[in-house]
Amino acid sequence: MKTTPQGRFHPLFVSLGLALALGASSVSAASSANDWQDEAKDAWIDGKAESMLMVNTNLNNFDINTDVEQGVVILTGKVDTELDKSLASGLVRQIDGVSEIKNELTVSQPASQSAELGQAVVDTKVSAALKTSLLLNPDISGTNIDVSVNDGVATLSGEVKSDAARDLAVLMAENAQDVERVIDELDVEGNA
């Protein structure tokens, strides 16, 4: 460091050193704040995933564990069928902020037994997953929507608040796993 003729450090270099030290500490503080925000977001996603799995009556959520690391949801534990495994992923995939799902669930029944469960069970699971999705979507308010699935054909009936809510509900049904076609019997409030 440069000194003045009197042997002291030059004020400009002292100021520069202080600025660098303060800058480094503010970067550290910002990094700590980001870490805290990321951890809070992961905790929120984890709570939402557990809640979503809990309200679905087709899954035994006590055998499913969720962990979240930087938006990646890790599902561990065991389920009865491959369909249950897919259903768990499908439900969690709908949560805002989920970047990836690592489904490490083990299936307790062999695939041959799962296949024997038949289309009726598949339809029941799809119906439950879709109803849960509609209920949890704040833009739809799915409490007045009935969902039935028969041979991969989903029928939506009941009442929604707007044309936009109707369109979103139909779109969600069309994009649901194992739904081949959607029948829209929804009424818009005030148009019935």
Side-chain angles (χ1 to χ4, degrees):
M1 227 183 234
K2 206 165 191 152
T3 58
T4 61
Q6 295 84 14
R8 295 188 208 149
F9 291 112
H10 195 278
L12 176 64
F13 290 108
V14 171
S15 297
L16 182 59
L18 284 172
L20 287 173
L22 288 173
S25 69
S26 65
V27 167
S28 175
S31 175
S32 295
N34 285 343
D35 290 346
W36 180 85
Q37 289 174 340
D38 290 343
E39 288 175 15
K41 184 176 180 183
D42 285 349
W44 180 86
I45 291 171
D46 193 28
K48 188 83 169 178
E50 288 179 5
S51 297
M52 190 172 267
L53 294 170
M54 185 178 292
V55 298
N56 191 295
T57 57
N58 291 310
L59 292 173
N60 183 357
N61 63 308
F62 294 110
D63 291 335
I64 300 174
N65 302 310
T66 60
D67 289 305
V68 182
E69 296 174 9
Q70 298 178 331
V72 177
V73 178
I74 304 158
L75 298 174
T76 57
K78 68 177 184 177
V79 291
D80 292 336
T81 65
E82 284 291 334
L83 186 59
D84 291 339
K85 183 175 180 176
S86 296
L87 177 59
S89 286
L91 290 170
V92 173
R93 184 171 286 113
Q94 300 170 45
I95 300 171
D96 286 338
V98 172
S99 60
E100 181 184 346
I101 298 171
K102 292 184 178 178
N103 191 334
E104 298 173 2
L105 291 167
T106 58
V107 177
S108 59
Q109 292 181 7
S112 61
Q113 286 181 343
S114 295
E116 293 171 11
L117 293 174
Q119 185 66 39
V121 173
V122 172
D123 289 342
T124 300
K125 299 250 183 201
V126 170
S127 177
L130 184 54
K131 180 65 177 176
T132 301
S133 299
L134 294 170
L135 281 170
L136 294 175
N137 189 310
D139 297 324
I140 295 176
S141 183
T143 55
N144 294 326
I145 298 176
D146 293 316
V147 177
S148 65
V149 180
N150 189 11
D151 289 330
V153 177
T155 302
L156 304 180
S157 59
E159 193 171 72
V160 292
K161 294 186 180 199
S162 67
D163 287 325
R166 174 191 213 161
D167 293 344
L168 182 56
V170 170
L171 181 65
M172 287 176 68
E174 289 172 344
N175 290 322
Q177 186 173 350
D178 296 318
V179 171
E180 297 171 19
R181 188 167 61 97
V182 177
I183 298 172
D184 175 10
E185 295 179 355
L186 293 168
D187 293 317
V188 177
E189 251 178 44
N191 292 349

